[in-house]
């Protein structure tokens, strides 16, 4: 019998920070019609509930300090799924191209000759800017924004130019920085930022369990130490944090809306 040729396509999709209402229309359409969905730990349950009951769901979630499914295995899984299914959705938290390793998966698919499309998602920095009322830029407070990672491999130093990042006119958003918060604060203060510079830590941003913690660089390490490391946490450092009092949407009002259209 001749081999059956499956026309397969992989969609690398950003699921946004958690609130299903923040999915793009394109992402929603693809999630609802996928044959198989490969998803990360940060993809929220309300979004997984949108997957068709007939589709296969594969969890490749990585918890902090625990990698049950290493990246090379995810890469080869996507290629092997392309031999069995026609519409493969690879679902990632936030945006696949912002600290999402989506571009590494795209390289592997390209090298294997598998067709793919990247569907952007709202990155967590954008999502929490809206719920917390802390804009990423604001005339007179921040002329720019930098998104950086505070994560480093075990035994390695936080190899960023912290002196260069210590700019009072730029908002600094640190992904994956909770575990190194005290060190990050120390580096930024020694780079010239005031110890009184406001900082906001947002846990589970845009989800019903969202929490906001307000502190300063001086208090950052102690505040971050109170947060459970399993919960995604974003750090916003800069004068824009002062606007939270004026522009924040009260948690209850926002949460009443989440997931209910
Ligand atoms: C591997 S990175 C993935 C980032 C993702 N691609 C994005 O665009 O948001 C994971 C980190 O993103 C941040 N993050 C993702 N979702 C979040 C959320 N809902 N609330 C707070 N931080 C979040 C946390 O810093 C978390 O450790």
């Amino acid at each position: 019998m001749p081999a059956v040729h499956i026309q397969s396509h992989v969609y690398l999709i950003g699921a946004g920070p958690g609130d299903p209402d923040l999915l793009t229309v394109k992402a929603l359409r693809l999630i609802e019609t996928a044959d198989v969905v490969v998803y990360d730990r940060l993809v929220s349950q309300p979004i997984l509930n949108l997957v068709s009951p007939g589709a296969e769901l594969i969890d490749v979630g990585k918890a902090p300090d625990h990698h049950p499914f290493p990246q090379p295995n995810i890469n080869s899984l996507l290629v092997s799924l392309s031999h069995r299914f026609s519409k493969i959705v690879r679902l990632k938290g936030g945006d696949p191209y912002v600290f999402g390793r989506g571009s590494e998966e795209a390289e592997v698919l390209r090298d294997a000759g598998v067709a793919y499309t990247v569907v952007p998602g709202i990155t967590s920095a954008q999502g929490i800017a809206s719920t917390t009322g802390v804009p990423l830029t604001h005339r007179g407070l921040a002329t720019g924004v930098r998104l950086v990672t505070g994560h480093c491999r075990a035994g390695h130093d936080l190899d960023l130019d912290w002196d260069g990042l210590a700019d009072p006119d730029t908002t600094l958003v640190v992904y994956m920085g909770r575990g190194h918060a005290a060190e990050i604060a120390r580096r930024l203060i020694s780079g010239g930022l005031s110890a009184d510079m406001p900082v906001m830590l947002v846990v589970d941003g845009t989800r019903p369990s969202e929490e906001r913690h307000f502190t300063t660089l001086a208090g950052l390490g102690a505040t971050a130490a109170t947060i459970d490391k399993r919960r995604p946490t974003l750090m916003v450092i800069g004068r824009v944090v002062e606007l939270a009092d004026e522009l924040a949407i009260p948690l209850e009002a926002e949460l009443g809306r989440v997931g209910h259209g």
Side-chain angles (χ1 to χ4, degrees):
M1 222 169 62
V4 180
H5 181 69
I6 298 177
Q7 278 291 352
S8 67
H9 201 105
V10 176
Y11 296 89
L12 300 172
I13 299 181
D19 177 356
D21 287 353
L22 296 180
L23 283 172
T24 64
V25 174
K26 188 169 186 175
L28 176 62
R29 186 167 49 77
L30 291 163
I31 290 168
E32 286 176 338
T33 55
D35 300 319
V36 56
V37 175
V38 180
Y39 65 97
D40 279 347
R41 189 180 67 91
L42 287 179
V43 176
S44 66
Q45 191 58 47
I47 289 174
L48 293 176
N49 292 345
L50 299 168
V51 175
S52 147
E56 191 169 322
L57 268 175
I58 304 178
D59 177 4
V60 293
K62 292 175 262 181
D65 305 333
H66 183 59
H67 295 269
F69 220 104
Q71 188 64 45
N73 297 20
I74 298 175
N75 298 345
S76 43
L77 173 70
L78 293 177
V79 174
S80 71
L81 290 173
S82 74
H83 301 138
R84 290 173 47 213
F85 296 97
S86 55
K87 192 186 276 186
I88 299 127
V89 161
R90 170 68 175 115
L91 206 47
K92 292 170 167 288
D95 183 88
Y97 277 8
V98 178
F99 304 124
R101 304 189 76 168
S103 42
E104 292 172 42
E105 294 173 14
E107 281 173 345
V108 169
L109 294 168
R110 180 205 54 200
D111 292 349
V114 178
Y116 69 91
T117 297
V118 181
V119 181
I122 290 183
T123 189
S124 41
Q126 294 172 296
I128 64 142
S130 306
T131 57
T132 62
V134 172
L136 301 176
T137 63
H138 187 84
R139 193 185 291 256
L141 292 180
T143 53
V145 56
R146 285 172 170 175
L147 309 182
V148 300
T149 172
H151 176 74
C152 59
R153 283 174 293 148
H156 286 67
D157 209 6
L158 281 172
D159 50 359
L160 291 178
D161 171 16
W162 293 101
D163 287 355
L165 291 171
D167 173 3
D169 297 321
T170 299
T171 306
L172 189 61
V173 183
V174 186
Y175 290 64
M176 298 170 278
R178 188 209 50 80
H180 295 287
E183 175 70 357
I184 289 168
R186 193 186 64 72
R187 300 268 188 114
L188 290 172
I189 292 169
S190 76
L193 277 191
S194 162
D196 292 331
M197 181 61 80
V199 180
M200 175 178 69
L201 289 150
V202 182
V203 184
D204 291 345
T206 82
R207 299 169 186 226
S209 50
E210 179 178 299
E211 274 173 27
R212 306 161 188 175
H213 301 261
F214 293 92
T215 181
T216 59
L217 274 184
L220 176 56
T223 304
T226 65
I227 298 170
D228 182 341
K229 71 177 179 183
R230 288 166 299 186
R231 300 175 70 192
T233 304
L234 210 59
M235 222 182 270
V236 182
I237 302 168
R239 291 188 291 148
V240 287
V241 172
E242 292 162 8
L243 293 174
D245 286 344
E246 295 170 41
L247 299 177
I249 298 166
L251 270 173
E252 312 75 58
E254 174 63 12
L255 301 182
R257 194 191 57 74
V258 168
H260 298 293

